[in-house]
């Protein structure tokens, strides 16, 4: 059986970006993803743009899943957003806590993602398939791996149907996380998040912030390529393809690609994996 894939976009900020995303989405649709998800800015900063992007993907005939973060939001505003998505025929949501920019004041009426999952279930019953985030290398703010797993379990107990992980480049981190989750009685699919590598400097910055480790052997190789972007891309494709091969061999229930709104890397990795539609 072929591995199911899903693909993540961020909502474009300009008309040009929107046009480019339309083309990207059309190209990636050849991979027949189960759904395209669209991220949501902290504190609702992309509310309209996320909604518009999701509606457009759905109107083009694809399954679209909005991300929804709760920190900084009121119950009334989340209720309103859920209603908008129900009216638009959306059936899947990625439910998150999100991060407020440092210095942002009011924390809103939700503290953690499990409260959002609980709220979505209470308000909308089984209408939505709810995805939540999971962290094989642990969330940067978690007090301990055990606390982070307990937080994950609370989201599952609140009604999450499946999870998508933060990206990682160490297969054992994922396998260990899945084992630990299973031992706690967490039975939902835990789909690895896959970050293709286009630019090493961007990846390094981003990884520091979100707590994803770039193994030393990878870092050293990328650094040795300097400004040679062709070599960086080629090496990145090899590394990520091999990661996906191992994950599939280990029985990962699917692959979720952080596409960064680009069709090329995800398409090439899927082609190499024999998952091209
Ligand atoms: P939670 O599950 O609430 O966990 C957050 C932290 O709090 C963890 O450290 C956890 O251990 C801890 N915690 C949980 N409950 C408790 C408790 N009761 N007491 C003490 N500690 C607790 N961000 C966006 O802004 N927009 C997006 O669209 C977006 N999409 C994402 C998609 C995926 C697949 C992933 C993996 C992340 C995404 N993020 C997004 C980032 C995410 O919002 C951040 O990682 C955020 O810091 C945590 O969100 P969460 O839903 O995992 O939070």
């Amino acid at each position: 059986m072929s591995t199911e894939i899903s693909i993540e976009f961020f909502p474009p900020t300009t008309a040009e970006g929107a046009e480019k995303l339309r083309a990207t989405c059309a190209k990636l649709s050849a991979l027949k993803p189960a759904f395209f998800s669209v991220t949501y800015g902290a504190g609702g900063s992309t509310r309209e743009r996320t909604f518009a992007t999701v509606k457009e993907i759905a109107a083009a005939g694809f399954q679209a899943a909005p991300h929804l973060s709760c920190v900084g939001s009121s119950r009334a505003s989340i209720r309103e957003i859920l209603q908008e998505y129900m009216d638009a025929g959306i059936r899947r949501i990625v439910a998150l806590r999100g991060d407020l920019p440092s210095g942002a004041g009011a924390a809103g009426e939700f503290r953690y993602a499990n409260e959002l999952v609980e709220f979505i279930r209470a308000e909308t019953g089984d209408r939505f398939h709810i995805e939540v985030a999971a962290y094989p290398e642990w969330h940067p703010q978690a007090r301990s791996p055990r606390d982070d797993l307990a937080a994950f379990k609370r989201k599952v107990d609140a009604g999450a149907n499946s999870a998508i992980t933060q990206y990682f480049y160490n297969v054992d981190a994922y396998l260990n996380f899945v084992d630990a989750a299973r031992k706690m009685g967490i039975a939902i699919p835990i789909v690895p998040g896959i970050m293709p590598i286009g630019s090493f400097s961007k990846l390094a910055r981003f990884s520091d912030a979100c707590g994803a480790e770039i193994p030393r052997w990878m870092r050293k190789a990328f650094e040795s390529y300097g400004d040679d972007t062709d070599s960086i891309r080629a090496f990145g494709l090899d590394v990520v393809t091999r990661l996906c091969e191992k994950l599939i061999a280990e029985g990962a229930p699917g692959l979720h690609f952080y596409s960064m709104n680009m069709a090329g890397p995800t398409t090439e990795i899927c082609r190499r994996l024999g998952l091209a539609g």
Side-chain angles (χ1 to χ4, degrees):
M1 208 178 78
S2 184
T3 305
E4 189 171 277
I5 69 161
S6 51
I7 299 174
E8 184 169 312
F9 295 138
F10 57 84
T13 45
T14 61
E16 196 189 344
E19 196 51 49
K20 189 176 155 251
L21 186 59
R22 254 166 240 136
T24 298
C25 187
K27 280 188 205 142
L28 289 171
S29 66
L31 301 174
K32 301 199 171 52
F35 63 91
F36 290 107
S37 80
V38 183
T39 62
Y40 187 80
S45 56
T46 69
R47 177 171 167 173
E48 274 77 34
R49 283 189 284 124
T50 296
F51 187 51
T53 309
V54 160
K55 272 207 304 196
E56 193 169 324
I57 293 170
F62 307 119
Q63 293 292 325
H67 294 209
L68 180 58
S69 69
C70 60
V71 69
S73 300
S74 66
R75 287 188 174 76
S77 71
I78 297 287
R79 185 177 293 123
E80 212 177 274
I81 293 170
L82 292 172
Q83 189 60 53
E84 283 171 356
Y85 285 131
M86 284 198 285
D87 294 345
I90 301 303
R91 310 221 49 123
R92 187 186 290 259
I93 281 188
V94 185
L96 304 145
R97 183 195 71 175
D99 296 299
L100 284 179
S102 56
E109 293 180 326
F110 297 88
R111 285 170 312 156
Y112 298 106
N114 65 297
E115 296 166 16
L116 176 62
V117 176
E118 203 176 306
F119 185 75
I120 297 173
R121 283 283 174 248
E123 291 283 316
T124 65
D126 288 336
R127 162 76 198 210
F128 293 107
H129 178 112
I130 303 178
E131 305 269 359
V132 290
Y135 301 85
E137 294 176 322
W138 314 116
H139 186 269
Q141 289 155 9
R143 279 180 301 225
S144 69
R146 205 165 63 177
D147 282 359
D148 213 21
L149 270 173
F152 180 32
K153 182 147 193 318
R154 276 195 291 276
K155 298 192 275 194
V156 177
D157 292 344
N161 300 99
S162 48
I164 301 171
T165 75
Q166 183 58 276
Y167 68 88
F168 55 88
Y169 296 104
N170 179 343
V171 181
D172 282 330
Y174 170 78
L175 297 177
N176 174 65
F177 179 79
V178 173
D179 275 356
R182 299 296 178 238
K183 281 188 189 131
M184 285 188 79
I186 296 172
I188 63 168
I190 301 172
V191 176
I194 306 296
M195 179 70 91
I197 304 167
S199 147
F200 175 62
S201 50
K202 265 194 215 149
L203 181 76
R205 260 199 319 275
F206 198 47
S207 301
D208 280 348
C210 69
E213 187 183 56
I214 303 178
R216 178 181 158 88
W217 63 272
M218 276 177 63
R219 188 181 286 274
K220 288 282 176 197
F222 278 120
E223 284 168 358
S224 75
Y225 295 129
D227 295 334
D228 178 357
T229 48
D230 287 347
S231 296
I232 290 174
R233 284 206 191 106
F235 181 65
L237 283 172
D238 288 347
V239 165
V240 177
T241 304
R242 209 170 310 130
L243 171 72
C244 294
E245 280 168 355
K246 288 184 188 161
L247 289 166
I248 292 169
E250 292 286 352
L255 300 171
H256 179 83
F257 286 92
Y258 295 108
S259 78
M260 308 305 281
N261 291 10
M262 289 185 292
T266 300
T267 303
E268 177 57 16
I269 292 163
C270 288
R271 189 192 65 75
R272 292 182 185 193
L273 293 171
L275 300 177

PDB file of all heavy atoms in Angstrom, residues 10-25 49 53 56 261:
ATOM      1  N   PHE A  10       1.830  27.939   3.801  1.00  0.00           N
ATOM      2  CA  PHE A  10       1.505  29.105   4.637  1.00  0.00           C
ATOM      3  C   PHE A  10       0.696  30.066   3.779  1.00  0.00           C
ATOM      4  O   PHE A  10       0.843  30.063   2.541  1.00  0.00           O
ATOM      5  CB  PHE A  10       2.760  29.763   5.233  1.00  0.00           C
ATOM      6  CG  PHE A  10       3.784  30.199   4.232  1.00  0.00           C
ATOM      7  CD1 PHE A  10       3.671  31.431   3.596  1.00  0.00           C
ATOM      8  CD2 PHE A  10       4.871  29.391   3.919  1.00  0.00           C
ATOM      9  CE1 PHE A  10       4.613  31.843   2.668  1.00  0.00           C
ATOM     10  CE2 PHE A  10       5.827  29.792   2.981  1.00  0.00           C
ATOM     11  CZ  PHE A  10       5.693  31.021   2.355  1.00  0.00           C
ATOM     12  N   PRO A  11      -0.171  30.868   4.371  1.00  0.00           N
ATOM     13  CA  PRO A  11      -0.997  31.752   3.557  1.00  0.00           C
ATOM     14  C   PRO A  11      -0.163  32.874   2.952  1.00  0.00           C
ATOM     15  O   PRO A  11       0.588  33.541   3.659  1.00  0.00           O
ATOM     16  CB  PRO A  11      -2.024  32.309   4.546  1.00  0.00           C
ATOM     17  CG  PRO A  11      -1.421  32.125   5.889  1.00  0.00           C
ATOM     18  CD  PRO A  11      -0.444  30.992   5.811  1.00  0.00           C
ATOM     19  N   PRO A  12      -0.242  33.073   1.641  1.00  0.00           N
ATOM     20  CA  PRO A  12       0.589  34.113   1.003  1.00  0.00           C
ATOM     21  C   PRO A  12       0.176  35.513   1.449  1.00  0.00           C
ATOM     22  O   PRO A  12      -0.973  35.739   1.831  1.00  0.00           O
ATOM     23  CB  PRO A  12       0.308  33.915  -0.483  1.00  0.00           C
ATOM     24  CG  PRO A  12      -0.919  33.099  -0.579  1.00  0.00           C
ATOM     25  CD  PRO A  12      -1.096  32.355   0.701  1.00  0.00           C
ATOM     26  N   THR A  13       1.133  36.442   1.383  1.00  0.00           N
ATOM     27  CA  THR A  13       0.857  37.813   1.838  1.00  0.00           C
ATOM     28  C   THR A  13       0.548  38.754   0.676  1.00  0.00           C
ATOM     29  O   THR A  13       0.024  39.838   0.884  1.00  0.00           O
ATOM     30  CB  THR A  13       2.075  38.401   2.594  1.00  0.00           C
ATOM     31  OG1 THR A  13       3.242  38.100   1.833  1.00  0.00           O
ATOM     32  CG2 THR A  13       2.217  37.840   3.979  1.00  0.00           C
ATOM     33  N   THR A  14       0.921  38.372  -0.534  1.00  0.00           N
ATOM     34  CA  THR A  14       0.720  39.283  -1.671  1.00  0.00           C
ATOM     35  C   THR A  14      -0.070  38.570  -2.769  1.00  0.00           C
ATOM     36  O   THR A  14      -0.167  37.341  -2.773  1.00  0.00           O
ATOM     37  CB  THR A  14       2.085  39.683  -2.285  1.00  0.00           C
ATOM     38  OG1 THR A  14       2.730  38.477  -2.748  1.00  0.00           O
ATOM     39  CG2 THR A  14       2.974  40.382  -1.290  1.00  0.00           C
ATOM     40  N   ALA A  15      -0.576  39.362  -3.711  1.00  0.00           N
ATOM     41  CA  ALA A  15      -1.315  38.793  -4.843  1.00  0.00           C
ATOM     42  C   ALA A  15      -0.386  37.893  -5.657  1.00  0.00           C
ATOM     43  O   ALA A  15      -0.785  36.831  -6.143  1.00  0.00           O
ATOM     44  CB  ALA A  15      -1.867  39.917  -5.713  1.00  0.00           C
ATOM     45  N   GLU A  16       0.865  38.310  -5.762  1.00  0.00           N
ATOM     46  CA  GLU A  16       1.847  37.519  -6.507  1.00  0.00           C
ATOM     47  C   GLU A  16       2.086  36.166  -5.810  1.00  0.00           C
ATOM     48  O   GLU A  16       2.153  35.111  -6.453  1.00  0.00           O
ATOM     49  CB  GLU A  16       3.143  38.325  -6.544  1.00  0.00           C
ATOM     50  CG  GLU A  16       4.130  37.863  -7.564  1.00  0.00           C
ATOM     51  CD  GLU A  16       5.466  38.588  -7.347  1.00  0.00           C
ATOM     52  OE1 GLU A  16       5.510  39.614  -6.647  1.00  0.00           O
ATOM     53  OE2 GLU A  16       6.464  38.087  -7.876  1.00  0.00           O
ATOM     54  N   GLY A  17       2.190  36.234  -4.470  1.00  0.00           N
ATOM     55  CA  GLY A  17       2.378  35.004  -3.687  1.00  0.00           C
ATOM     56  C   GLY A  17       1.181  34.073  -3.843  1.00  0.00           C
ATOM     57  O   GLY A  17       1.340  32.850  -3.924  1.00  0.00           O
ATOM     58  N   ALA A  18      -0.008  34.670  -3.896  1.00  0.00           N
ATOM     59  CA  ALA A  18      -1.230  33.860  -4.035  1.00  0.00           C
ATOM     60  C   ALA A  18      -1.239  33.162  -5.389  1.00  0.00           C
ATOM     61  O   ALA A  18      -1.603  31.991  -5.507  1.00  0.00           O
ATOM     62  CB  ALA A  18      -2.455  34.747  -3.866  1.00  0.00           C
ATOM     63  N   GLU A  19      -0.800  33.895  -6.411  1.00  0.00           N
ATOM     64  CA  GLU A  19      -0.746  33.330  -7.761  1.00  0.00           C
ATOM     65  C   GLU A  19       0.262  32.174  -7.817  1.00  0.00           C
ATOM     66  O   GLU A  19      -0.011  31.104  -8.379  1.00  0.00           O
ATOM     67  CB  GLU A  19      -0.335  34.462  -8.729  1.00  0.00           C
ATOM     68  CG  GLU A  19      -0.575  34.188 -10.186  1.00  0.00           C
ATOM     69  CD  GLU A  19      -2.009  33.722 -10.472  1.00  0.00           C
ATOM     70  OE1 GLU A  19      -2.945  34.375  -9.983  1.00  0.00           O
ATOM     71  OE2 GLU A  19      -2.168  32.694 -11.156  1.00  0.00           O
ATOM     72  N   LYS A  20       1.395  32.403  -7.168  1.00  0.00           N
ATOM     73  CA  LYS A  20       2.437  31.369  -7.143  1.00  0.00           C
ATOM     74  C   LYS A  20       1.926  30.130  -6.400  1.00  0.00           C
ATOM     75  O   LYS A  20       2.162  28.995  -6.815  1.00  0.00           O
ATOM     76  CB  LYS A  20       3.673  31.956  -6.448  1.00  0.00           C
ATOM     77  CG  LYS A  20       4.869  31.071  -6.565  1.00  0.00           C
ATOM     78  CD  LYS A  20       6.121  31.707  -5.960  1.00  0.00           C
ATOM     79  CE  LYS A  20       7.105  30.633  -5.542  1.00  0.00           C
ATOM     80  NZ  LYS A  20       7.270  30.447  -4.130  1.00  0.00           N
ATOM     81  N   LEU A  21       1.197  30.367  -5.310  1.00  0.00           N
ATOM     82  CA  LEU A  21       0.688  29.227  -4.534  1.00  0.00           C
ATOM     83  C   LEU A  21      -0.329  28.412  -5.340  1.00  0.00           C
ATOM     84  O   LEU A  21      -0.372  27.184  -5.242  1.00  0.00           O
ATOM     85  CB  LEU A  21       0.078  29.692  -3.207  1.00  0.00           C
ATOM     86  CG  LEU A  21      -0.352  28.553  -2.279  1.00  0.00           C
ATOM     87  CD1 LEU A  21       0.817  27.640  -1.915  1.00  0.00           C
ATOM     88  CD2 LEU A  21      -0.997  29.092  -1.005  1.00  0.00           C
ATOM     89  N   ARG A  22      -1.128  29.103  -6.138  1.00  0.00           N
ATOM     90  CA  ARG A  22      -2.087  28.392  -7.006  1.00  0.00           C
ATOM     91  C   ARG A  22      -1.344  27.403  -7.915  1.00  0.00           C
ATOM     92  O   ARG A  22      -1.721  26.250  -8.067  1.00  0.00           O
ATOM     93  CB  ARG A  22      -2.832  29.405  -7.896  1.00  0.00           C
ATOM     94  CG  ARG A  22      -4.256  29.618  -7.436  1.00  0.00           C
ATOM     95  CD  ARG A  22      -4.874  30.840  -8.076  1.00  0.00           C
ATOM     96  NE  ARG A  22      -5.237  31.755  -7.012  1.00  0.00           N
ATOM     97  CZ  ARG A  22      -5.039  33.067  -6.991  1.00  0.00           C
ATOM     98  NH1 ARG A  22      -4.456  33.668  -8.010  1.00  0.00           N
ATOM     99  NH2 ARG A  22      -5.421  33.779  -5.962  1.00  0.00           N
ATOM    100  N   ALA A  23      -0.253  27.892  -8.506  1.00  0.00           N
ATOM    101  CA  ALA A  23       0.530  27.042  -9.413  1.00  0.00           C
ATOM    102  C   ALA A  23       1.188  25.897  -8.639  1.00  0.00           C
ATOM    103  O   ALA A  23       1.208  24.742  -9.089  1.00  0.00           O
ATOM    104  CB  ALA A  23       1.581  27.885 -10.126  1.00  0.00           C
ATOM    105  N   THR A  24       1.714  26.225  -7.438  1.00  0.00           N
ATOM    106  CA  THR A  24       2.360  25.201  -6.608  1.00  0.00           C
ATOM    107  C   THR A  24       1.356  24.111  -6.247  1.00  0.00           C
ATOM    108  O   THR A  24       1.638  22.911  -6.322  1.00  0.00           O
ATOM    109  CB  THR A  24       2.899  25.857  -5.311  1.00  0.00           C
ATOM    110  OG1 THR A  24       3.878  26.830  -5.684  1.00  0.00           O
ATOM    111  CG2 THR A  24       3.512  24.856  -4.374  1.00  0.00           C
ATOM    112  N   CYS A  25       0.174  24.541  -5.845  1.00  0.00           N
ATOM    113  CA  CYS A  25      -0.876  23.609  -5.423  1.00  0.00           C
ATOM    114  C   CYS A  25      -1.272  22.702  -6.602  1.00  0.00           C
ATOM    115  O   CYS A  25      -1.436  21.488  -6.440  1.00  0.00           O
ATOM    116  CB  CYS A  25      -2.060  24.423  -4.910  1.00  0.00           C
ATOM    117  SG  CYS A  25      -3.346  23.436  -4.175  1.00  0.00           S
ATOM    118  N   ARG A  49      -6.389  35.533   5.757  1.00  0.00           N
ATOM    119  CA  ARG A  49      -5.594  34.933   4.674  1.00  0.00           C
ATOM    120  C   ARG A  49      -5.610  33.404   4.752  1.00  0.00           C
ATOM    121  O   ARG A  49      -5.649  32.720   3.730  1.00  0.00           O
ATOM    122  CB  ARG A  49      -4.155  35.442   4.729  1.00  0.00           C
ATOM    123  CG  ARG A  49      -4.055  36.867   4.172  1.00  0.00           C
ATOM    124  CD  ARG A  49      -2.616  37.299   4.030  1.00  0.00           C
ATOM    125  NE  ARG A  49      -2.006  37.639   5.299  1.00  0.00           N
ATOM    126  CZ  ARG A  49      -0.905  37.091   5.772  1.00  0.00           C
ATOM    127  NH1 ARG A  49      -0.285  36.151   5.105  1.00  0.00           N
ATOM    128  NH2 ARG A  49      -0.410  37.464   6.932  1.00  0.00           N
ATOM    129  N   THR A  53      -7.170  31.144   1.759  1.00  0.00           N
ATOM    130  CA  THR A  53      -6.352  30.107   1.107  1.00  0.00           C
ATOM    131  C   THR A  53      -7.045  28.746   1.197  1.00  0.00           C
ATOM    132  O   THR A  53      -7.105  27.990   0.227  1.00  0.00           O
ATOM    133  CB  THR A  53      -4.942  30.048   1.760  1.00  0.00           C
ATOM    134  OG1 THR A  53      -4.401  31.369   1.787  1.00  0.00           O
ATOM    135  CG2 THR A  53      -4.008  29.140   1.004  1.00  0.00           C
ATOM    136  N   GLU A  56      -9.956  28.572  -1.151  1.00  0.00           N
ATOM    137  CA  GLU A  56      -9.530  28.440  -2.546  1.00  0.00           C
ATOM    138  C   GLU A  56      -9.084  27.005  -2.855  1.00  0.00           C
ATOM    139  O   GLU A  56      -9.419  26.447  -3.909  1.00  0.00           O
ATOM    140  CB  GLU A  56      -8.386  29.417  -2.814  1.00  0.00           C
ATOM    141  CG  GLU A  56      -8.147  29.546  -4.282  1.00  0.00           C
ATOM    142  CD  GLU A  56      -7.199  30.690  -4.617  1.00  0.00           C
ATOM    143  OE1 GLU A  56      -7.234  31.743  -3.961  1.00  0.00           O
ATOM    144  OE2 GLU A  56      -6.422  30.501  -5.569  1.00  0.00           O
ATOM    145  N   ASN A 261       5.656  26.375   0.536  1.00  0.00           N
ATOM    146  CA  ASN A 261       4.993  26.886  -0.684  1.00  0.00           C
ATOM    147  C   ASN A 261       5.792  26.652  -1.959  1.00  0.00           C
ATOM    148  O   ASN A 261       5.634  27.378  -2.932  1.00  0.00           O
ATOM    149  CB  ASN A 261       4.635  28.382  -0.541  1.00  0.00           C
ATOM    150  CG  ASN A 261       3.527  28.614   0.464  1.00  0.00           C
ATOM    151  OD1 ASN A 261       3.149  27.697   1.198  1.00  0.00           O
ATOM    152  ND2 ASN A 261       2.983  29.807   0.498  1.00  0.00           N
TER     153      ASN A 261
END
